[in-house]
Amino acid sequence: MESIENQPKKNKIGFLILGILIAIALLVIYWLNQSLKEDAKGIAALQSNVAQLQQELKSIKTKKRQVEINRDSLQKNLDYLWQYKTLVQSSKVRDQVGDNFNFQPGDRVRLKSDSSIVVITDLMVGGNRYNYYVKFLVKNSKGASAEVSPLELETVK
């Protein structure tokens, strides 16, 4: 049997171990509580970010709808103007060809065939992918119009 003297020593050691275990448990509980508070702050920040992103998404969707509406109205205008595409392209070709000559519509030039002076009224460019022509529409002093090739004209000095 144990002596009575050893029993209080064992009780003291038991209480000491129990106290240490309780202190460790309290520290663990405190640490877990702090980490939960930090997690709660992080969750609140994430929720505010989600709300902000949802607001941005809403504004982007609104802008997308506006762009689609504008695109549709522009498409209507494009559909209306699309029929004039070849006319615009022909005008561009005519202007590019006309830039290569020394004389332009409105200039006075001399016909090489009879040395008469005429006024260029228009430049005509025509043809297709494989064959084309360039002619000037000229008007003489009597008011008669004629189509002549650029090789038949010379500048008036």
Side-chain angles (χ1 to χ4, degrees):
M1 274 209 151
E2 296 181 15
S3 67
I4 296 179
E5 295 172 3
N6 286 340
Q7 202 162 15
K9 223 177 196 185
K10 285 184 178 178
N11 285 341
K12 284 182 184 180
I13 292 174
F15 282 128
L16 185 61
I17 291 173
L18 184 62
I20 291 173
L21 287 175
I22 290 173
I24 290 172
L26 288 175
L27 285 173
V28 168
I29 290 172
Y30 177 76
W31 177 72
L32 289 173
N33 191 19
Q34 290 299 323
S35 67
L36 285 175
K37 285 181 183 178
E38 289 175 9
D39 289 345
K41 288 179 186 177
I43 289 172
L46 288 175
Q47 287 174 341
S48 68
N49 286 344
V50 166
Q52 182 182 3
L53 290 173
Q54 285 175 339
Q55 192 71 357
E56 288 179 18
L57 179 65
K58 185 177 178 182
S59 70
I60 287 172
K61 284 182 178 178
T62 303
K63 289 178 183 177
K64 180 182 176 242
R65 276 194 302 272
Q66 290 173 347
V67 166
E68 286 175 350
I69 289 170
N70 288 340
R71 186 196 63 79
D72 289 344
S73 65
L74 290 173
Q75 186 65 41
K76 288 177 188 174
N77 289 336
L78 180 63
D79 291 342
Y80 172 73
L81 296 172
W82 191 256
Q83 59 189 337
Y84 301 111
K85 179 183 175 190
T86 46
L87 177 65
V88 171
Q89 288 174 339
S90 298
S91 299
K92 281 184 177 181
V93 169
R94 185 195 68 193
D95 294 342
Q96 288 173 350
V97 168
D99 291 342
N100 294 325
F101 292 109
N102 293 336
F103 29 82
Q104 304 295 326
D107 291 347
R108 293 178 55 203
V109 293
R110 183 182 316 271
L111 287 176
K112 289 182 182 177
S113 61
D114 62 358
S115 297
S116 63
I117 295 180
V118 293
V119 176
I120 300 173
T121 56
D122 198 8
L123 171 66
M124 298 183 306
V125 177
N128 57 28
R129 186 183 309 178
Y130 306 108
N131 186 14
Y132 66 94
Y133 63 89
V134 177
K135 291 188 179 183
F136 283 100
L137 187 63
V138 295
K139 196 177 260 191
N140 63 13
S141 61
K142 296 178 184 174
S145 296
E147 293 180 9
V148 294
S149 126
L151 297 174
E152 298 177 44
L153 300 175
E154 63 181 10
T155 58
V156 176
K157 298 175 185 160

